[in-house]
Amino acid sequence: MNLTVSEENYIKAIFHLQQAEGNVSTNQLAASLHTKPASVTDMLKKLTHKSLLEYEPYQGVRLGKEGKKQALSIVRKHRLWEFFLVDKLQFGWDEVHDVAEELEHISSKKLVDKLDAYLGFPKFDPHGDPIPDSNGIMATIRQFNLIDVKPKVVVEVCSVGSQSAELLELLRHKNIGIGTELQIIRKFEFDHSVEISVKNKPTITISQQLAQALFVKLV
Amino acid sequence: MNLTVSEENYIKAIFHLQQAEGNVSTNQLAASLHTKPASVTDMLKKLTHKSLLEYEPYQGVRLGKEGKKQALSIVRKHRLWEFFLVDKLQFGWDEVHDVAEELEHISSKKLVDKLDAYLGFPKFDPHGDPIPDSNGIMATIRQFNLIDVKPKVVVEVCSVGSQSAELLELLRHKNIGIGTELQIIRKFEFDHSVEISVKNKPTITISQQLAQALFVKLV
DNA sequence: AATTATTTTTAGGTAAATCTAAATAATTTA
DNA sequence: TAAATTATTTAGATTTACCTAAAAATAATT
């Protein structure tokens, strides 16, 4: 099933809007895609014809089985590229979205799977959203990037960004591992470093790079 | 100047066909782009209107100043992505072209420059073609990837693929450096390893990975 | 040089993805 | 529930990048 960039963007938008409730409305889609309702209706008909959607005129739309599969593939690519941009190319976590919007449409499955392996099969992207694996399965508990957590909050480390030797060494040195509880003390604007307290011991400071590699959940 | 994917493909095709002689013909372009001459004429008019080409009806076409700049930018992206795929994602040098054809159209300049830095500012892609730098300047002497050189040929090492510590250590161990002369003895199909003789000493065997990291010129 | 062959352009048409304006269905409100 | 409002669809155009077929320009050949 080969989709155009435009078709992929519709599938992705429906996927994101569908999350909580059932059907997605034409107007919601038009707003989300910065297009007009009439254009949406056209595309819904086309994608329904391709068996990607379940759509009844005037009743909104939801993804069909094949549509879900396609959506997960696009989301997987988007989030893997975001991870790559932050972890390898030193982009800030807040400047990767637009580039990933372009990269997610590169079609090679082999590329995506090799990228995934190269990155160490990360489970969460730099915004804390789960990355579907090559079978479309992803974690359900939402995690946060440590750098996004507000001061005073207590969190528990769930996973780390990559399995690189350098990162693991640094974590051991700082006594941080999966399951470690820590409290955010304060954040410094200048270099985005974060002051934390691990297991109620004296505070330490960790760099922006390290904070971005830690995924946590609220406790 | 924002170009569509199709426009970029025309600019790139003209760039490659233009290399030796002066003007590129409509038929040449049609063949190269797998399209029809009539379509080419349409696009040539459009790109001329955008001041990218110098085009006289029936006289063929060549890139203008702005067209050259755009072409170099596309070629730069294509070759950097090829380098990335081979050097980081472990693609074979012969399976990267199609994926790079897609990646070269990603527009972010910041992405390309960061990728360049991440790769260690390589001067040649995995096929030995020079990679333009961010100002569009590239090496003029054509180099070959060692893995492409036929048995019996004597070559001189010109540059290495990356500056990684692991690669440099391996090269020191094998007594290979910039300027080293070596002869290709034979190549093994099974694992693509290459038997070579360094400075007329007894032969040694180098892996596919190492051979792909070495760029050489004929002596 | 005149004819033939080739190349290139023009003219008119198609499919994808968009648009505006008008018509129709669904929902809300008085 | 009937009218008013909102949401959605239909109808008809537009733009981009293609196409085919025919006309025009250039090049090759006798």
Side-chain angles (χ1 to χ4, degrees):
Chain A
M1 176 72 51
N2 271 342
L3 302 182
T4 66
V5 169
S6 201
E7 288 170 335
E8 290 195 344
N9 283 333
Y10 275 85
I11 294 289
K12 189 174 53 135
I14 296 167
F15 177 83
H16 287 307
L17 291 171
Q18 196 180 288
Q19 294 307 47
E21 347 85 81
N23 287 14
V24 178
S25 77
T26 303
N27 267 6
Q28 277 181 294
L29 272 170
S32 160
L33 291 161
H34 306 106
T35 181
K36 303 294 174 203
S39 310
V40 173
T41 302
D42 283 352
M43 185 61 97
L44 293 186
K45 285 197 244 173
K46 192 169 71 151
L47 293 176
T48 302
H49 189 75
K50 286 194 175 188
S51 307
L52 293 161
L53 305 181
E54 287 167 22
Y55 162 66
E56 292 290 334
Y58 297 100
Q59 300 309 132
V61 71
R62 68 177 70 191
L63 293 175
K65 192 176 175 190
E66 176 64 21
K68 261 184 211 126
K69 197 178 132 194
Q70 293 289 335
L72 284 166
S73 159
I74 301 162
V75 167
R76 168 170 162 79
K77 288 191 274 181
H78 182 100
R79 293 181 180 165
L80 280 175
W81 280 116
E82 284 200 343
F83 190 97
F84 169 74
L85 294 173
V86 168
D87 195 58
K88 302 293 187 187
L89 298 196
Q90 315 281 299
F91 274 78
W93 66 275
D94 55 342
E95 48 181 6
V96 296
H97 190 267
D98 291 348
V99 181
E101 290 278 291
E102 286 190 68
L103 286 164
E104 74 191 0
H105 300 295
I106 305 293
S107 58
S108 165
K109 170 136 173 65
K110 184 167 185 178
L111 169 62
V112 181
D113 291 342
K114 277 182 174 276
L115 180 67
D116 195 11
Y118 178 59
L119 299 175
F121 302 104
K123 296 281 172 294
F124 298 91
D125 78 8
H127 302 100
D129 296 315
I131 301 175
D133 69 14
S134 63
N135 299 308
I137 295 167
M138 61 181 176
T140 47
I141 309 162
R142 194 176 192 297
Q143 305 200 359
F144 298 87
N145 200 299
L146 185 57
I147 208 144
D148 294 329
V149 181
K150 300 276 176 297
K152 293 197 179 163
V153 175
V154 177
V155 297
E156 178 183 327
V157 176
C158 297
S159 60
V160 295
S162 81
Q163 299 300 321
S164 80
E166 295 83 357
L167 173 58
L168 297 179
E169 184 202 344
L170 181 55
L171 289 173
R172 196 166 49 247
H173 175 255
K174 301 225 184 242
N175 258 303
I176 299 172
I178 306 295
T180 302
E181 270 196 18
L182 39 86
Q183 180 170 22
I184 312 300
I185 308 300
R186 58 178 294 200
K187 302 166 80 171
F188 297 94
E189 279 304 316
F190 175 67
D191 59 0
H192 303 100
S193 60
V194 184
E195 200 171 78
I196 63 175
S197 165
V198 180
K199 297 170 186 160
N200 296 314
K201 298 224 182 85
T203 68
I204 59 172
T205 301
I206 65 176
S207 67
Q208 178 186 25
Q209 288 85 346
L210 180 53
Q212 282 178 348
L214 293 176
F215 297 97
V216 299
K217 66 180 182 201
L218 306 178
V219 299
Chain B
M1 178 69 54
N2 272 341
L3 303 181
T4 66
V5 169
S6 200
E7 288 170 335
E8 289 194 346
N9 283 334
Y10 274 85
I11 294 289
K12 189 175 52 138
I14 296 167
F15 177 84
H16 287 308
L17 291 171
Q18 197 180 288
Q19 295 308 44
E21 347 84 80
N23 287 15
V24 178
S25 77
T26 302
N27 267 4
Q28 277 181 293
L29 273 170
S32 160
L33 292 161
H34 305 106
T35 182
K36 303 293 175 205
S39 310
V40 173
T41 302
D42 283 352
M43 185 60 97
L44 293 186
K45 284 197 245 174
K46 192 169 72 150
L47 293 175
T48 302
H49 189 74
K50 287 194 175 188
S51 308
L52 293 162
L53 305 180
E54 287 168 22
Y55 162 67
E56 292 291 333
Y58 297 100
Q59 299 311 130
V61 72
R62 68 177 70 192
L63 292 175
K65 193 176 175 189
E66 177 64 22
K68 261 183 211 126
K69 198 178 131 194
Q70 294 289 336
L72 284 167
S73 159
I74 301 161
V75 167
R76 169 172 163 77
K77 288 191 276 182
H78 182 100
R79 293 180 181 167
L80 280 175
W81 281 117
E82 284 201 342
F83 190 97
F84 168 76
L85 295 173
V86 169
D87 196 57
K88 302 293 185 186
L89 297 196
Q90 314 282 302
F91 274 79
W93 66 276
D94 55 343
E95 50 181 4
V96 295
H97 190 267
D98 291 348
V99 182
E101 289 277 294
E102 286 191 68
L103 285 163
E104 74 190 0
H105 300 294
I106 305 293
S107 58
S108 165
K109 170 135 174 67
K110 185 168 185 177
L111 169 62
V112 182
D113 291 341
K114 276 180 176 279
L115 180 66
D116 196 11
Y118 178 59
L119 298 175
F121 302 104
K123 298 280 172 294
F124 298 90
D125 77 10
H127 303 100
D129 296 315
I131 301 174
D133 69 15
S134 63
N135 299 307
I137 295 167
M138 59 183 179
T140 47
I141 308 161
R142 195 177 190 296
Q143 305 200 359
F144 297 87
N145 200 298
L146 184 56
I147 209 145
D148 294 328
V149 181
K150 300 272 175 299
K152 294 197 178 163
V153 175
V154 177
V155 298
E156 178 184 327
V157 176
C158 296
S159 60
V160 295
S162 80
Q163 298 300 319
S164 80
E166 295 83 358
L167 172 59
L168 297 178
E169 185 203 342
L170 181 56
L171 288 174
R172 197 167 48 246
H173 175 256
K174 300 225 184 241
N175 257 304
I176 299 172
I178 305 295
T180 302
E181 270 197 18
L182 39 86
Q183 182 171 21
I184 312 300
I185 307 300
R186 60 179 293 202
K187 303 166 80 172
F188 298 95
E189 279 305 314
F190 174 67
D191 59 359
H192 302 102
S193 62
V194 184
E195 198 171 79
I196 62 174
S197 165
V198 180
K199 295 169 185 159
N200 296 314
K201 298 224 180 84
T203 68
I204 59 172
T205 301
I206 64 176
S207 67
Q208 178 186 25
Q209 288 84 345
L210 179 54
Q212 282 176 351
L214 293 177
F215 296 97
V216 300
K217 65 181 184 202
L218 307 178
V219 299

